[in-house]
Amino acid sequence: MPELPEVETTVRQLREPCVGQRIVDVTIHWARHIATPSPKQFRQRIRDQKIESITRRAKYLIFNLESSFLLIHLKMSGRLEVVDADTPRDKHDHTIFHFADGREMRFNDTRKFGKVYLVDDVNDVTGHLGPEPLEESFTAKRLGEILHAHHKPLKTFLLDQTLLAGVGNIYADESLHRAKIHPKRYSNSLKPDDVKKLWRSIRHTLNLAIKHNGSSIDWVYPQGEHQNHFRVYDRQDEPCYTCGRSIRRIVMGGRSTHFCSGCQRL
């Protein structure tokens, strides 16, 4: 599933072809893509609306329209691409936004888990999310307050979008390794120095991944380069770049978790 760096990269790539465009119609081939309102109401309400800006909240793309907000969650296999209308369509182009200049923004979603929302208030969809880890207001002190308010293994903590928004499986593993903290360690056990290390690590890891246009680990998201810089993720049995010990893989909460037993002692 695309995480914060991949979604941020997508937002930046869509700004040039989308901002200023007017949506003249929408073709919906998979009605369940539309989370709210109904597909019929969605088409009626979005027609003739201009895209004024594009931002991001956690893993949601937010299109700021003239009188409402269009939110898209790519989920496991979603991709957005702006192409000329005469470009042959893929069978997985399930929701298509038609622009006034003749181009189209196509939501391609092989597994059909993606969701589209049209709302008057972004918080109707994102209000449950935790803080953004790259915002200036997200300080080490704030992270410490959240960590110490819960008794959760750190890997589980980092994946909980209600506690911290946008971090997923890849960047949780990478952040914990850079901070030299074991994924099974409990959140409320971290000392002030550990909190600062984790805070710096999360921000550095996410910013570095954005610099590399995110990570490409399968056909879903092909434009990233950060997979060439993984420290532990998807490197089971390979040597740690820091200490040389083999990277281990365990399962936590149903998710693969990669760490170095030398650098990240429990």
Side-chain angles (χ1 to χ4, degrees), residues 1-255:
M1 181 184 295
E3 302 179 28
L4 187 156
E6 291 77 43
V7 177
E8 178 64 28
T9 299
T10 301
V11 166
R12 296 180 184 188
Q13 292 173 339
L14 288 175
R15 282 182 177 139
E16 191 279 327
C18 291
V19 173
Q21 292 281 5
R22 193 166 294 279
I23 301 171
V24 295
D25 204 357
V26 180
T27 299
I28 302 170
H29 294 299
W30 178 249
R32 288 166 65 180
H33 245 179
I34 312 303
T36 188
S38 69
K40 182 179 179 180
Q41 291 177 321
F42 183 89
R43 288 189 67 200
Q44 291 174 344
R45 289 180 54 190
I46 204 169
R47 282 176 181 158
D48 203 38
Q49 287 215 50
K50 182 180 177 182
I51 300 173
E52 298 188 333
S53 63
I54 308 175
T55 57
R56 177 194 56 78
R57 176 73 169 104
K59 302 176 186 179
Y60 290 88
L61 292 96
I62 302 175
F63 295 77
N64 302 296
L65 308 180
E66 288 177 303
S67 61
S68 55
F69 298 92
L70 169 68
L71 279 72
I72 298 179
H73 198 306
L74 301 173
K75 294 289 186 179
M76 293 184 68
S77 64
R79 290 187 292 116
L80 289 169
E81 186 178 18
V82 178
V83 297
D84 292 334
D86 59 0
T87 302
R89 291 180 182 172
D90 185 89
K91 65 180 180 179
H92 300 300
D93 290 337
H94 299 306
T95 302
I96 302 170
F97 299 84
H98 305 275
F99 293 157
D101 73 348
R103 288 186 289 177
E104 298 174 344
M105 182 175 72
R106 299 177 183 177
F107 189 1
N108 184 286
D109 188 10
T110 303
R111 294 171 182 164
K112 298 181 178 179
F113 292 151
K115 292 297 179 184
V116 182
Y117 309 77
L118 187 65
V119 295
D120 295 326
D121 187 345
V122 172
N123 285 326
D124 290 347
V125 180
T126 66
H128 67 290
L129 296 171
E132 287 284 327
L134 295 182
E135 286 189 351
E136 289 187 11
S137 60
F138 182 69
T139 61
K141 179 182 178 182
R142 178 62 179 136
L143 175 61
E145 291 170 348
I146 303 171
L147 286 164
H148 292 142
H150 298 84
H151 183 70
K152 285 189 172 189
L154 279 168
K155 177 61 180 287
T156 305
F157 175 96
L158 292 174
L159 296 184
D160 189 334
Q161 299 298 296
T162 67
L163 301 178
L164 187 63
V167 177
N169 207 38
I170 294 174
Y171 302 110
D173 285 358
E174 294 291 291
S175 297
L176 288 169
H177 181 264
R178 182 171 272 109
K180 297 184 177 181
I181 299 174
H182 197 285
K184 284 188 175 181
R185 189 167 171 185
Y186 282 99
S187 57
N188 59 347
S189 75
L190 265 62
K191 297 178 180 179
D193 284 348
D194 295 324
V195 173
K196 289 180 181 178
K197 287 179 184 177
L198 182 58
W199 174 77
R200 291 193 191 101
S201 179
I202 291 169
R203 291 166 68 91
H204 180 83
T205 298
L206 293 174
N207 278 316
L208 187 62
I210 292 171
K211 180 181 177 181
H212 295 143
N213 296 320
S215 303
S216 297
I217 56 175
D218 57 25
W219 51 268
V220 173
Y221 184 85
Q223 64 263 49
E225 298 177 358
H226 191 65
Q227 70 278 3
N228 301 319
H229 304 271
F230 285 164
R231 300 165 67 93
V232 290
Y233 185 81
D234 202 28
R235 296 190 62 241
Q236 181 181 357
D237 297 328
E238 296 181 27
C240 172
Y241 294 134
T242 302
C243 73
R245 292 201 182 186
S246 294
I247 301 301
R248 293 185 56 195
R249 175 188 175 276
I250 58 175
V251 177
M252 295 183 64
R255 307 298 300 276

